[in-house]
Amino acid sequence: MAVAVAAAEANGQGRGGAKRPNLVPEARRPRLGAGRGAQDPKRGSRSQRANSRPPSSMASCAEPSEPSAPLPAGVPPLEDFEVLDGVEDAEGEEEEEEEEEEEDDLSELPPLEDMGQPPVEEAEQPGALAREFLAAMEPEPAPAPAPEEWLDILGNGLLRKKTLVPGPPGSSRPVKGQVVTVHLQTSLENGTRVQEEPELVFTLGDCDVIQALDLSVPLMDVGETAMVTADSKYCYGPQGRSPYIPPHAALCLEVTLKTAVDGPDLEMLTGQERVALANRKRECGNAHYQRADFVLAANSYDLAIKAITSSAKVDMTFEEEAQLLQLKVKCLNNLAASQLKLDHYRAALRSCSLVLEHQPDNIKALFRKGKVLAQQGEYSEAIPILRAALKLEPSNKTIHAELSKLVKKHAAQRSTETALYRKMLGNPSRLPAKCPGKGAWSIPWKWLFGATAVALGGVALSVVIAARN
């Protein structure tokens, strides 16, 4: 374009010989070194080239122009320009360079937010960044629980179960009353293994084991291995289990359920099987009693007595019957002790009476019966029973101390009752008030009558003796 302008200025003499005026204002002329960077002086800006281009007559300069309409007054006539060789080629090259310069110039574009995303996609998806921001601010939904998650058995977080190895397909779960066999590994919370029982056999629902096992095994399939975490209240409680399990210890139990079969029919048990079953229940009751769990202890003793006293369809020998009787007496005595701890006095008194029916001289039954009667305030009945027990075993200090305590309580009770009777009936020891009209030597008529009767009786007795002699 600059070449065309220079040519036009070189040929500044028109056909009329007049110099062509400069139509580009001075303010819009390009300046060297101005603007962004030093531009080529031969290439002006787009506005300069647009202003320096000749009028539309340049597009048809190869052909003679048609006569135009007369110009208004005061407007000088435009002069015709001759088209120079190479002008059109120069203008085409300048337009191509201008387009390349505009493509290379990125100063006016906004800064890129994400180099991984092309600007074209942002233009095609307006608001993508806002949607991504809102999506990041939204809370993520809670993931669905996986099948290996912990199962809260009681809903309080104190007894949980987690399946480690599921049972085989088609395996069933045990029910209450069935006899199950498990492989048990017991560990403390710090991972210390304290006990392992490869073949632990118990009856579900009979409180033969700790509650953690009795509540979690019914939720397992035969052949399943599970991890059970239990609080101390469902294990061995505040007493623990010496010497390995400390008091108030929570435990981790790894349980493998091996078998589950129906419980035995009590009527079809032999004498030895009945004795063995009753002994197992009694030992479970003793374990519960040592942990001060008297409710479970009483339940185990009841089950032992039920196994002993149930009807049998199998004949037993005399020795087996004697063993069952001794075992029954032990279970009844232990049951009475548990009921006494639970303040179930009537039930404890009934248990002691059943023992005394079989063994009237059973010292433990006599002692517990006397203690139950003392708890009920029947001191007059409790003292003779305790004296009978002390007579059977005079060296028993426990019975002696209990008897002495009851004697003192009974004496205090009698004095309290006597004072109460005196208050209700009046005080007979108080002498009646003296009559103001009687003298100091006046004798009550009751005493006088009594003295007279004694004198007459003495006279009559002397006469009878004299007559006999």
Side-chain angles (χ1 to χ4, degrees):
M1 196 70 171
V3 176
V5 173
E9 290 179 356
N11 299 327
Q13 300 296 330
R15 292 181 181 180
K19 188 178 180 180
R20 180 178 178 272
N22 191 1
L23 300 179
V24 181
E26 184 178 0
R28 299 184 60 183
R29 294 178 184 174
R31 298 180 181 179
L32 296 177
R36 180 180 52 85
Q39 299 180 355
D40 191 354
K42 295 182 179 180
R43 295 169 55 188
S45 63
R46 182 183 300 178
S47 58
Q48 292 172 351
R49 292 196 297 268
N51 293 331
S52 61
R53 290 178 182 177
S56 59
S57 60
M58 185 179 295
S60 58
C61 57
E63 300 178 358
S65 59
E66 298 179 358
S68 58
L71 296 175
V75 177
L78 296 177
E79 298 179 356
D80 297 335
F81 290 92
E82 294 181 358
V83 179
L84 303 178
D85 295 337
V87 174
E88 293 180 352
D89 297 337
E91 290 179 356
E93 292 176 359
E94 290 178 359
E95 290 177 358
E96 291 177 0
E97 292 176 0
E98 179 183 359
E99 292 176 359
E100 292 176 359
E101 183 181 359
E102 290 176 357
E103 291 177 358
D104 296 336
D105 189 6
L106 303 178
S107 60
E108 299 180 358
L109 294 178
L112 299 178
E113 299 291 341
D114 191 356
M115 296 299 294
Q117 297 180 357
V120 178
E121 295 182 358
E122 293 182 1
E124 293 178 356
Q125 300 178 0
L129 294 177
R131 287 194 296 270
E132 291 180 1
F133 177 76
L134 293 177
M137 294 298 293
E138 292 180 357
E140 297 182 358
E148 66 272 11
E149 289 295 330
W150 289 94
L151 172 64
D152 193 351
I153 297 177
L154 300 178
N156 55 6
L158 301 180
L159 183 61
R160 301 186 303 160
K161 168 186 169 291
K162 179 180 180 180
T163 301
L164 301 180
V165 179
S171 58
S172 60
R173 291 185 174 183
V175 296
K176 182 179 180 181
Q178 285 188 325
V179 179
V180 298
T181 304
V182 300
H183 179 203
L184 175 64
Q185 296 180 4
T186 305
S187 305
L188 300 177
E189 284 185 315
N190 58 7
T192 305
R193 182 171 297 179
V194 295
Q195 186 181 7
E196 182 173 3
E197 298 187 40
E199 298 286 338
L200 177 61
V201 181
F202 61 94
T203 304
L204 281 182
D206 283 1
C207 303
D208 294 345
V209 290
I210 57 177
Q211 284 184 295
L213 279 178
D214 223 0
L215 295 174
S216 60
V217 170
L219 302 176
M220 298 176 58
D221 297 330
V222 177
E224 177 184 342
T225 301
M227 177 67 70
V228 178
T229 60
D231 188 73
S232 61
K233 66 184 295 185
Y234 302 110
C235 298
Y236 295 98
Q239 283 75 27
R241 187 176 183 180
S242 179
Y244 304 110
I245 301 177
H248 301 285
L251 299 179
C252 298
L253 311 175
E254 184 175 338
V255 188
T256 301
L257 179 57
K258 293 185 174 181
T259 60
V261 296
D262 293 335
D265 186 2
L266 297 179
E267 294 182 350
M268 302 304 297
L269 292 178
T270 63
Q272 292 300 324
E273 292 174 346
R274 198 179 290 264
V275 170
L277 178 60
N279 263 323
R280 286 200 302 269
K281 300 299 181 184
R282 183 180 64 86
E283 290 173 358
C284 292
N286 293 343
H288 292 310
Y289 190 90
Q290 291 175 357
R291 296 198 300 269
D293 199 341
F294 305 115
V295 175
L296 297 182
N299 180 73
S300 296
Y301 295 137
D302 277 331
L303 293 174
I305 295 171
K306 181 181 178 181
I308 295 171
T309 59
S310 61
S311 60
K313 295 182 179 180
V314 179
D315 295 335
M316 291 182 290
T317 62
F318 179 77
E319 290 79 7
E320 291 173 348
E321 291 181 354
Q323 288 181 355
L324 289 175
L325 180 59
Q326 291 291 334
L327 194 56
K328 179 182 178 181
V329 169
K330 291 181 180 179
C331 292
L332 285 172
N333 264 328
N334 295 346
L335 178 61
S338 301
Q339 293 167 341
L340 188 60
K341 291 289 186 179
L342 295 172
D343 297 337
H344 297 167
Y345 299 129
R346 291 183 180 179
L349 188 62
R350 183 170 57 253
S351 300
C352 293
S353 300
L354 290 175
V355 174
L356 295 175
E357 288 180 2
H358 299 289
Q359 297 178 356
D361 294 337
N362 190 288
I363 298 176
K364 290 183 178 180
L366 289 173
F367 174 74
R368 290 196 176 102
K369 185 175 181 179
K371 198 169 183 180
V372 169
L373 292 173
Q375 292 290 341
Q376 292 179 335
E378 302 292 341
Y379 300 119
S380 58
E381 297 181 17
I383 290 175
I385 295 176
L386 289 179
R387 283 176 178 171
L390 187 61
K391 185 177 180 181
L392 293 172
E393 192 174 350
S395 61
N396 194 317
K397 296 181 180 180
T398 304
I399 299 177
H400 191 276
E402 188 69 20
L403 181 60
S404 301
K405 184 172 63 175
L406 289 184
V407 169
K408 293 179 181 179
K409 289 184 177 180
H410 184 51
Q413 184 184 32
R414 290 185 62 183
S415 62
T416 304
E417 291 177 354
T418 303
L420 181 62
Y421 292 154
R422 287 180 179 178
K423 185 176 181 181
M424 293 174 62
L425 302 176
N427 193 354
S429 62
R430 182 179 299 174
L431 296 177
K434 297 181 179 181
C435 298
K438 296 182 179 181
W441 297 98
S442 62
I443 300 175
W445 62 272
K446 292 183 179 180
W447 290 11
L448 182 60
F449 178 78
T452 304
V454 170
L456 293 176
V459 172
L461 181 61
S462 62
V463 170
V464 171
I465 293 175
R468 285 184 180 179
N469 292 334

